[in-house]
Amino acid sequence: MPKVSIIVPMYAAKQYIVPCVLSLRRQGLSDMEILLVDDCSPDDTYHHAKELFRGNETVRVLQTKKNGGPGFARNLGMEEAAGEYICFCDVDDIYVDGSISEMLKVAKRVYADVYSSDAFYVTVAEAPLPEDLHELKEENLLKLGCITPEDALSEGRIELAGAMEERLEQWLGHRYHWSVCGKLFRAAFLREEGIRFPAVSIGEDHLFMLKALLRAKVYANEVRAPYIARTGSNVQSVSRNRKDPGIFIRSMRSILMAPDIIDDCLGGRFPAYRKRLTEFHIRAIEECFAVQKYKEIGREKLSRNKELKHLFYEFFGEKGDFVKKTLLDAYEARPAGLSLEDCTQYECLKALKEATGEGLYSLLS
């Protein structure tokens, strides 16, 4: 049995495969497997990866039966994974050299069901970024952390999550970072608790992590930044697809399914938190995706979209048009927030780098 199975979803990103795999081979792991899972890319990403690693026993290349988003591809990877622990990496990102082996040492020492790093790096170099983020220098990286300023000074400190009510309050206070990358999950724990990515393609990380937080006997946080995420105009995230109604529609599906998915995460426990957790998730999707896409695409185009109309009828029947109009009215009145079109978010990250230098910027200040 490999110690770690590293699952990498892919979609039309074949130029990043080699840098990503090289990064994973620099993790100091003597026994691991890498599962590259193509999510039915429209190009030859799958066949390119198969050819690259033909005969390689460490790297396995899989393909989903249909396109379903990163969570769908990760679910397939988890079904096929043979490792004691599972780790996730996006194909256009990398891990800091040797970091996964250090994460594994901590996870095994404290018998963690989930190991979570409290910080990560984002790129603040000018575009275009190199295909291999390993080429970036320290001045091109900004360290972000979901921790307090006091905690930021104690890199390497390990904290075990407390009672479930305390975990929920800290989750609602943004104490736990929602990304599945930069973390380790004990594979048997995920199987025993039935933890999988839900059938949505916006906010699926958020919901996976909430369920893991609530089911883990031992949830360990370490002040460490093992992961480097690609940002800027050439990022591969779905949120960067300009004026794509599909992103708005997938955001709406995630919002409309939120009550049922939150119920599944809670498993009938903590009923007092159901409403707060649902609102928390919906607000995150709206602020990060839905409202921005509404402003970019425009009401006229979205109002005519047949897929969006069908989605609201699916959930609300004959009242679908009324609910859709009410929601679009609300979005029309809301400010746009950060714009993906003018790269304001990237400029904010650059300004943070200039203000903090090499220090850890705390999101909970």
Side-chain angles (χ1 to χ4, degrees), residues 16 19 80 158 169 236 240 265 286 304 317 323 338 348:
Y16 301 118
E80 296 290 330
I158 300 165
E169 289 295 339
Q236 294 300 300
R240 291 283 173 178
C265 291
E286 287 184 328
R304 296 198 309 266
V323 177
L338 291 177
C348 287

Side-chain angles (χ1 to χ4, degrees), residues 96 118-124 138-147 151-156 223-229 349 352-354 356-363:
V96 175
D118 270 341
F120 58 99
Y121 288 102
V122 293
T123 55
V124 291
E138 186 69 24
E139 60 261 29
N140 299 136
L141 299 171
L142 171 67
K143 195 186 294 183
L144 296 177
C146 297
I147 54 181
D151 289 339
L153 301 175
S154 57
E155 192 151 354
V223 182
R224 176 188 290 276
Y227 194 78
I228 300 176
L349 293 174
L352 281 175
K353 176 64 179 178
E354 293 172 3
T356 62
E358 296 181 0
L360 183 67
Y361 177 73
S362 303
L363 299 182

Side-chain angles (χ1 to χ4, degrees), residues 29-228:
L29 295 168
S30 59
D31 190 6
M32 68 170 180
E33 65 173 357
I34 300 169
L35 290 87
L36 302 175
V37 188
D38 179 64
D39 189 29
C40 286
S41 296
D43 61 6
D44 64 341
T45 292
Y46 172 70
H47 296 290
H48 179 71
K50 289 281 285 187
E51 190 61 33
L52 280 174
F53 302 106
R54 186 179 303 278
N56 189 304
E57 296 182 358
T58 303
V59 182
R60 286 198 282 158
V61 183
L62 310 172
Q63 189 176 49
T64 59
K65 293 181 179 180
K66 62 178 182 179
N67 175 258
F72 188 69
R74 289 172 183 148
N75 282 340
L76 175 58
M78 287 193 291
E79 291 171 8
E80 296 290 330
E84 181 182 359
Y85 286 85
I86 285 174
C87 183
F88 297 104
C89 183
D90 288 342
V91 70
D92 52 346
D93 299 336
I94 66 171
Y95 277 83
V96 175
D97 290 1
S99 59
I100 297 180
S101 61
E102 294 301 316
M103 293 160 56
L104 181 62
K105 289 177 185 177
V106 174
K108 294 181 78 69
R109 186 169 79 244
V110 301
Y111 302 100
D113 292 320
V114 180
Y115 164 94
S116 173
S117 59
D118 270 341
F120 58 99
Y121 288 102
V122 293
T123 55
V124 291
E126 297 293 339
L129 296 177
E131 291 180 1
D132 187 352
L133 297 181
H134 188 254
E135 299 173 10
L136 294 175
K137 297 180 180 179
E138 186 69 24
E139 60 261 29
N140 299 136
L141 299 171
L142 171 67
K143 195 186 294 183
L144 296 177
C146 297
I147 54 181
T148 65
E150 293 75 21
D151 289 339
L153 301 175
S154 57
E155 192 151 354
R157 185 181 61 81
I158 300 165
E159 175 188 85
L160 302 183
M164 293 302 167
E165 289 84 354
E166 180 184 347
R167 297 184 191 188
L168 285 166
E169 289 295 339
Q170 291 186 326
W171 174 268
L172 292 168
H174 299 275
R175 176 63 180 85
Y176 297 106
H177 189 257
W178 52 263
S179 174
V180 297
C181 297
K183 297 175 174 63
L184 285 174
F185 304 86
R186 191 168 60 85
F189 158 72
L190 294 178
R191 289 193 293 269
E192 290 162 5
E193 296 294 338
I195 299 176
R196 293 169 58 85
F197 289 89
V200 294
S201 57
I202 299 288
E204 70 280 3
D205 280 30
H206 188 273
L207 297 161
F208 184 97
M209 288 308 306
L210 175 60
K211 193 169 185 177
L213 176 67
L214 293 176
R215 303 298 173 90
K217 290 186 174 70
V218 180
Y219 190 104
N221 279 304
E222 182 178 16
V223 182
R224 176 188 290 276
Y227 194 78
I228 300 176

Side-chain angles (χ1 to χ4, degrees), residues 148-329:
T148 65
E150 293 75 21
D151 289 339
L153 301 175
S154 57
E155 192 151 354
R157 185 181 61 81
I158 300 165
E159 175 188 85
L160 302 183
M164 293 302 167
E165 289 84 354
E166 180 184 347
R167 297 184 191 188
L168 285 166
E169 289 295 339
Q170 291 186 326
W171 174 268
L172 292 168
H174 299 275
R175 176 63 180 85
Y176 297 106
H177 189 257
W178 52 263
S179 174
V180 297
C181 297
K183 297 175 174 63
L184 285 174
F185 304 86
R186 191 168 60 85
F189 158 72
L190 294 178
R191 289 193 293 269
E192 290 162 5
E193 296 294 338
I195 299 176
R196 293 169 58 85
F197 289 89
V200 294
S201 57
I202 299 288
E204 70 280 3
D205 280 30
H206 188 273
L207 297 161
F208 184 97
M209 288 308 306
L210 175 60
K211 193 169 185 177
L213 176 67
L214 293 176
R215 303 298 173 90
K217 290 186 174 70
V218 180
Y219 190 104
N221 279 304
E222 182 178 16
V223 182
R224 176 188 290 276
Y227 194 78
I228 300 176
R230 185 180 298 267
T231 58
S233 60
N234 53 354
V235 75
Q236 294 300 300
S237 168
V238 295
S239 64
R240 291 283 173 178
N241 294 328
R242 306 290 192 216
K243 299 185 179 180
D244 179 4
I247 297 168
F248 183 83
I249 294 165
R250 292 195 291 275
S251 298
M252 289 299 99
R253 179 170 290 279
S254 183
I255 287 170
L256 295 174
M257 289 181 66
D260 290 340
I261 297 176
I262 293 297
D263 282 345
D264 178 61
C265 291
L266 292 173
R269 302 180 299 167
F270 316 110
Y273 283 91
R274 181 182 184 271
K275 183 174 184 292
R276 291 174 64 192
L277 289 168
T278 302
E279 291 175 347
F280 181 82
H281 177 69
I282 290 173
R283 186 166 62 252
I285 299 300
E286 287 184 328
E287 291 177 356
C288 294
F289 298 97
V291 176
Q292 292 179 19
K293 284 300 165 187
Y294 175 85
K295 300 295 184 180
E296 289 176 8
I297 297 167
R299 180 171 189 144
E300 183 180 354
K301 187 173 182 179
L302 288 172
S303 297
R304 296 198 309 266
N305 188 281
K306 292 182 179 179
E307 188 178 353
L308 183 63
K309 181 183 179 71
H310 176 76
L311 176 65
F312 277 88
Y313 267 85
E314 177 186 337
F315 280 86
F316 300 102
E318 294 182 357
K319 296 181 179 179
D321 280 338
F322 171 77
V323 177
K324 183 182 74 171
K325 179 183 182 303
T326 302
L327 184 136
L328 296 184
D329 285 345

